[in-house]
Amino acid sequence: MQNSEMVLQMSNICKAFNQNSVLEHVDFELNKGEVHALMGGNGAGKSTLMKILTGIYQKDSGKICIDGSEVQIEKPQDSLAHGIAMIFQEFSVIPALTVAQNVFLNRELKKSNGLIDDKAMIRKTKDILDELKVDINPKSLVSELGTGYWQMTEIAKAVSQNAKILIMDEPTSALTQHETEILFDLINNLKNKGISIIYISHRMDEIYKVSDRITVLRDGKHIMTAESSNLSMDNLVEHIVGKNMENAFTWKERHIAKDKPPALKVKDLKSGSKVNGVSFDLYQGEILGIAGLMGSGRSELVRTLFGVDPLDGGEIIMNGTQLSIKKPKDAIQAGFALIPEDRRIQGLVLDHNVRENIILPILNKVSSRQFIKYDKLDHISEALVKKLNIKTDSIFKRASLLSGGNQQKIVFAKWLASEPNILLLDEPTSGVDIGAKSEIIEIVRELADSGKSIIVISSELQELLAFADRIIVLNNGIVTKELERQDIESEEQLEQAVQGL
């Protein structure tokens, strides 16, 4: 931390929707040049608190002070006027425009004749990027840059607006490891400039790498604030969840019968430029982890198995029978299910209710002569909601209104309804809180114990080590290493294997 000069103080903030209290007397403080992590489970109140700070919502009561003076923030323009900017998880840049054009979007610099002054915007953008020590050409089209540079363009835009408080919402969710390291360097540069950062993330390891202090909310209440260096991860998790989670990410050894033929045999699989001859076996009841850097071919591998990406070569053999998978329908009929990387775009119809999402893959099973059997549909949906502990007051509630963890459980429920034999899980806990993560890990273990064979992709190595019975490492679309879980002594050992060391 640069110093203890307080730039933001939110005191006794209360907010309710339709008499449902979502924030109860919440306090939050931010010092100059500080990275302050704001943590809590889905529904804890983090987003509501930040929406009040950015003028999207208005507080019911409480006080907000900037630099020691009370301010009223009733709309987003008020927030910007007080030097507060938010970098959203979903990027707001326009890919068809240049970096400079995005930085000054809706605030274009003009010449004396009223025309847009592109040269001035390029020059000022370069000055900002140089000051932040970011190597981007302001003339580059955003569409030609990597995702990490999209985010840096967003940050440069905020700095150009003289922001002194930056709110970063899940800033690394779409970044590679290298891009994440660049972002962390940029955050240090921002701190050195005296800019304060509110950092929201579910990724525990990066919270400790980047934050000075941590505040935890739970059920709309302030639970604790502490220096990051004084707070163990176990204690942090306990504050977030409200109970001891010491064994949530502890690997549990399971017996896999490898004396029988594999449930799935993949031989020399090829697809496009990303899958270049992958071979492996998957046994009944086994959880096979797939590790690798971004771009290693992990997602493309399961997309090929599920018929989303074309199969250019190789064999897929299930229980001794070679399959011909040309489209997802073929994969579903063969007994595959895919939990995709992006539940909001690929996994759910957010405007549909819980029941409508669950029965999508099995409409033919709950219909007769084009008439849907609603009683059967309700029974299946209710049973899966109960089995997966989906927190919803009704199966008729719109999926978009549920937390990220409960949305992810709906995706699981949808595919479990189809009674698959092999589940392909691509980042199954992405964007969900620590409590939901532990529940999803337990769901996967129970499915494997029931005889399902499961492939899990995860960028979080700690999570992969909790899931997997065996791990294969992909690099440039080929398997470079295979590790039995009991032979992996530490996360660092797996990280070295992923890095090719």
Side-chain angles (χ1 to χ4, degrees), residues 29-201:
E29 297 175 351
L30 182 67
N31 293 326
K32 184 175 181 179
E34 174 187 28
V35 178
H36 195 141
L38 181 60
M39 302 195 71
N42 295 110
K46 306 185 303 294
S47 295
T48 302
L49 187 66
M50 291 301 99
K51 285 178 179 178
I52 288 172
L53 183 58
T54 53
I56 298 171
Y57 294 158
Q58 288 74 51
K59 57 183 170 54
D60 295 335
S61 61
K63 186 166 70 171
I64 300 174
C65 293
I66 304 288
D67 293 329
S69 300
E70 185 173 357
V71 299
Q72 298 301 322
I73 298 177
E74 298 179 352
K75 54 186 181 297
Q77 290 85 347
D78 296 337
S79 179
L80 286 171
H82 290 295
I84 302 166
M86 186 161 183
I87 312 298
F88 291 95
Q89 186 175 354
E90 294 82 17
F91 299 116
S92 61
V93 294
I94 298 177
L97 298 181
T98 67
V99 171
Q101 288 168 336
N102 271 283
V103 166
F104 285 95
L105 188 64
N106 294 325
R107 301 179 300 114
E108 288 81 3
L109 302 179
K110 303 288 181 68
K111 299 177 182 178
S112 57
N113 60 7
L115 297 176
I116 291 174
D117 193 342
D118 282 308
K119 288 183 179 179
M121 292 194 298
I122 291 168
R123 185 174 61 254
K124 286 185 175 291
T125 299
K126 186 178 186 307
D127 290 342
I128 293 168
L129 294 171
D130 287 346
E131 190 175 2
L132 295 176
K133 300 178 182 177
V134 175
D135 185 19
I136 308 177
N137 186 339
K139 301 181 196 176
S140 296
L141 289 175
V142 169
S143 60
E144 297 173 351
L145 301 173
T147 307
Y149 292 104
W150 290 34
Q151 192 159 61
M152 288 166 202
T153 301
E154 298 257 33
I155 293 170
K157 181 177 181 179
V159 172
S160 76
Q161 296 170 316
N162 298 315
K164 56 188 174 186
I165 296 172
L166 274 182
I167 305 165
M168 295 187 176
D169 184 12
E170 297 286 352
T172 64
S173 61
L175 304 189
T176 65
Q177 183 175 348
H178 177 64
E179 289 170 336
T180 297
E181 290 169 357
I182 294 173
L183 175 65
F184 288 171
D185 287 340
L186 176 54
I187 287 172
N188 279 327
N189 294 335
L190 291 168
K191 287 176 60 177
N192 291 333
K193 283 173 54 65
I195 292 174
S196 307
I197 297 168
I198 302 172
Y199 193 95
I200 302 171
S201 177

Side-chain angles (χ1 to χ4, degrees), residues 184-392:
F184 288 171
D185 287 340
L186 176 54
I187 287 172
N188 279 327
N189 294 335
L190 291 168
K191 287 176 60 177
N192 291 333
K193 283 173 54 65
I195 292 174
S196 307
I197 297 168
I198 302 172
Y199 193 95
I200 302 171
S201 177
H202 291 305
R203 296 186 173 182
M204 308 292 286
D205 55 341
E206 70 184 38
I207 287 295
Y208 281 94
K209 289 178 182 176
V210 78
S211 69
D212 299 300
R213 284 195 295 167
I214 299 172
T215 287
V216 173
L217 303 184
R218 187 173 71 244
D219 298 329
K221 301 179 180 70
H222 176 272
I223 300 300
M224 55 77 65
T225 296
E227 299 281 338
S228 305
S229 57
N230 295 334
L231 189 64
S232 73
M233 188 174 292
D234 286 342
N235 284 338
L236 174 57
V237 171
E238 189 170 345
H239 285 305
I240 292 171
V241 180
K243 59 184 178 180
N244 191 307
M245 301 287 290
E246 187 176 350
N247 297 318
F249 292 93
T250 301
W251 176 63
K252 299 176 182 178
E253 188 168 2
R254 304 170 57 253
H255 174 69
I256 307 299
K258 294 188 176 180
D259 54 333
K260 298 178 181 179
L264 179 70
K265 180 180 280 290
V266 174
K267 298 171 65 176
D268 199 29
L269 200 73
K270 295 183 177 69
S271 177
S273 62
K274 294 288 188 179
V275 183
N276 299 310
V278 172
S279 299
F280 63 86
D281 292 338
L282 174 68
Y283 292 89
Q284 184 175 358
E286 183 182 27
I287 304 173
L288 176 66
I290 300 182
L293 299 173
M294 194 79 74
S296 61
R298 298 171 304 169
S299 295
E300 290 81 3
L301 170 60
V302 295
R303 286 168 58 89
T304 303
L305 291 173
F306 199 66
V308 178
D309 291 349
L311 176 65
D312 296 331
E315 298 176 73
I316 303 171
I317 301 168
M318 184 182 291
N319 297 321
T321 301
Q322 185 168 340
L323 304 178
S324 175
I325 297 178
K326 297 180 180 179
K327 54 186 181 294
K329 183 178 180 181
D330 300 332
I332 295 169
Q333 289 176 342
F336 284 98
L338 172 63
I339 311 294
E341 184 175 11
D342 191 329
R343 64 176 170 272
R344 298 178 67 85
I345 295 175
Q346 301 167 328
L348 294 171
V349 182
L350 288 170
D351 287 337
H352 286 191
N353 64 37
V354 174
R355 183 187 70 173
E356 290 166 344
N357 274 283
I358 288 175
I359 56 91
L360 275 174
I362 57 162
L363 276 173
N364 60 325
K365 295 182 181 180
V366 292
S367 60
S368 176
R369 296 181 181 178
Q370 298 182 333
F371 291 98
I372 295 175
K373 300 176 181 177
Y374 285 101
D375 55 344
K376 187 174 183 180
L377 185 156
D378 290 350
H379 176 74
I380 291 171
S381 300
E382 294 281 10
L384 285 167
V385 165
K386 183 177 180 180
K387 179 178 180 178
L388 299 184
N389 192 28
I390 299 172
K391 294 180 177 63
T392 176

